[in-house]
Amino acid sequence: MDFVIRQATADEYGTLGEITAHAYLRDGLLDFGEGDAYLGELRNVAKRAAAAEVVVAAADGRVLGGVTFVPSGGPMADIARPGEAEIRMLAVAREARGRGVGEALVRACVDRARAVEGCARVVLSTQRTMRTAHRLYERMGFARTPERDWNPLPELDDIMLLTYELTL
């Protein structure tokens, strides 16, 4: 591994926000493109860091990607229940893909969850089209939980997020 995994610093928030926004935009993951309201959330790393732990992969002074780790009961949780941690907004810069950055970031979250007293599972949401991510999660032992799939925009019935969990 030619990169390190660590907590993001405030001076990296802007860079990570752009990496995350560009990853979602370029991969076609925002239903409304540049006009998608979620784009602002993806860019607002400072807001996430105030409510959860933001973890980055870095090499040679550059941020390669990041993820938001929400400990059990954290305010940034979308689907986590008591005793569960949640992974959110995983993104890797296009030029850093294929180097194991995404897997290392997910592993860092799993390790953090294991250190949280009473945490029994790690959960996450993903889009149907994120097939590479699905393969990563499944390879790491996450299992699909279709009974927890959900729609973040109930007024639009064609948006459904798939869910996964890993029992610790």
Side-chain angles (χ1 to χ4, degrees):
M1 197 163 66
D2 62 340
F3 52 87
V4 296
I5 303 295
R6 58 172 172 71
Q7 190 162 337
T9 60
D11 63 320
E12 296 170 326
Y13 293 171
T15 301
L16 180 56
E18 288 308 307
I19 287 171
T20 308
H22 288 293
Y24 276 66
L25 278 170
R26 288 186 188 136
D27 291 349
L29 302 174
L30 297 173
D31 291 307
F32 305 106
E34 291 276 356
D36 200 300
Y38 194 54
L39 194 56
E41 291 296 311
L42 295 171
R43 284 190 166 115
N44 196 346
V45 177
K47 178 181 174 184
R48 295 199 300 270
E53 185 177 354
V54 177
V55 179
V56 294
D60 302 320
R62 281 189 14 234
V63 174
L64 305 176
V67 66
T68 301
F69 172 71
V70 184
S72 187
M76 283 285 302
D78 277 333
I79 63 167
R81 298 173 181 153
E84 297 177 337
E86 189 166 340
I87 296 173
R88 297 200 51 207
M89 301 177 191
L90 173 66
V92 176
R94 185 170 297 272
E95 64 275 8
R97 292 182 180 181
R99 293 171 52 185
V101 172
E103 181 172 346
L105 288 165
V106 173
R107 284 194 190 288
C109 290
V110 171
D111 291 344
R112 282 165 169 74
R114 286 190 171 115
V116 174
E117 186 175 335
C119 187
R121 278 177 297 288
V122 178
V123 297
L124 60 88
S125 300
T126 182
Q127 294 183 20
R128 288 185 189 118
T129 58
M130 295 174 149
R131 290 180 189 86
T132 301
H134 302 167
R135 286 191 299 275
L136 167 67
Y137 302 140
E138 290 164 8
R139 188 174 67 244
M140 294 182 69
F142 282 80
R144 275 279 291 121
T145 52
E147 69 280 4
R148 293 179 77 169
D149 292 355
W150 65 290
N151 183 339
L153 299 170
E155 65 277 11
L156 302 174
D157 55 347
D158 63 335
I159 297 175
M160 185 63 64
L161 295 179
L162 308 181
T163 60
Y164 282 81
E165 75 177 23
L166 175 71
T167 301
L168 302 176

